[in-house]
Amino acid sequence: MESKNNSRPILVLFLTVFIDLLGFGIILPILPLYAEQFGAKPNEATLLVAIYSLMQFLFAPVWGRFSDRYGRRPVLLLTLFGSVIAYTGLGFANSLWMLFLARSLAGIMAGNISTAQAYIADITTPTNRARGMGIIGAAFGLGFILGPAIGGLLIGSDPDNANFHLPSLFSGGLSLFALLCALTLLPESLNSETKAKLQANRHRRRRLNLLQLSQRPQFCVLVGIYFFVTFAVAAMDSTLALWSKQQLNWGPQQTSYLFAFMGIVSTIVQGGLIGFLKKNFGEIKLLTLGILGLGLGLLLIGFSQSLSLLLVATTLVAWGISVSQPLLNSLISQMTAPEEQGQILGIASSCSALARIVGPTWAGISFMKFGSDSPFLSGFLVMIVALVLSLRVTKSASESNKERVA
């Protein structure tokens, strides 16, 4: 299945996801302040952020099933078009309910990430799939590095006359450009064999339910790890600025530089190193090392009182994120039939979105009730659970190998 002809679709997909995430990165830091312009209270501003992940959680499996049935390309084009409408609506919003409507639509369309992952699974082999998923991860990293910086430039330096409309409209323009790239350069990834199988099973196929998924223990374990990793990362993301202000007396600029540093580390690992590391360690062992690094990094953040220790901690965190997430996507896709790729990856993406709802909610409560270090220390405890689960995957893989040899 893999050939040199796949390099262009992967490049176009990287560009499409990067532009999409760049627009997301531009908007995310300014959303709470944007909501305040319409009289939103802090809890309402936080809900404006959470509703995006909620809609993504609900609709990612829907887009996954549609992509299995109708193809990856139509779903990607439709969701990119929807993103253009969502960002444009955000730019022209003149009330709080319009902000919520625009962000809800953006969250619905954000379910296309699982479709992009299914596209990668279609055009790669199990041998190089982790590298393909890593390229998507690199697009995430670059988007989160450049997005907030561009948003800060567009909104202006005067907080009393901030231009909240321009960043939103600029993001809409980026999504339109991504749509044009996909429309003109991205072919359909589902091959004729898979399409024929889909058509043959069309009347017999049913939506996967919880009972069916419970009969796939390896899948459940991997999705559980995915949830815990995303939970810990989302909790850290939502409270790191508050923690750095309280513990290090930092302002938003220093915290932004720290996020950019983590993004750079993640991009280097996902874009260039993950293929080499996978070849030398194997996917499952490398996943365990990534989870271990993420947990230790979160623990060290809670004890960091100097910049040098904090840089070590965030390097470990960035390593853990950039290794574990693409490997989890790769392992999940490898144990899934071709005609179920979109649906299964959509379910995994929904679990990740659910963690991005629950993680910040817990982090805010624990930050206020148990102290500023508690979100990171609780993230470390969650990573211990994820580590135990990853060791279970390692044990199962070892037993399977022994059975094959026997």
Side-chain angles (χ1 to χ4, degrees), residues 172 329 336 370 401:
N329 285 321
T336 303
F370 306 116
N401 289 334

Side-chain angles (χ1 to χ4, degrees), residues 193-210:
E193 180 182 348
T194 303
K195 284 185 177 180
K197 192 171 184 178
L198 285 170
Q199 290 298 322
N201 295 336
R202 183 174 179 179
H203 299 292
R204 292 182 295 158
R205 289 177 68 224
R206 296 290 185 269
R207 180 177 175 177
L208 291 172
N209 55 42
L210 292 178

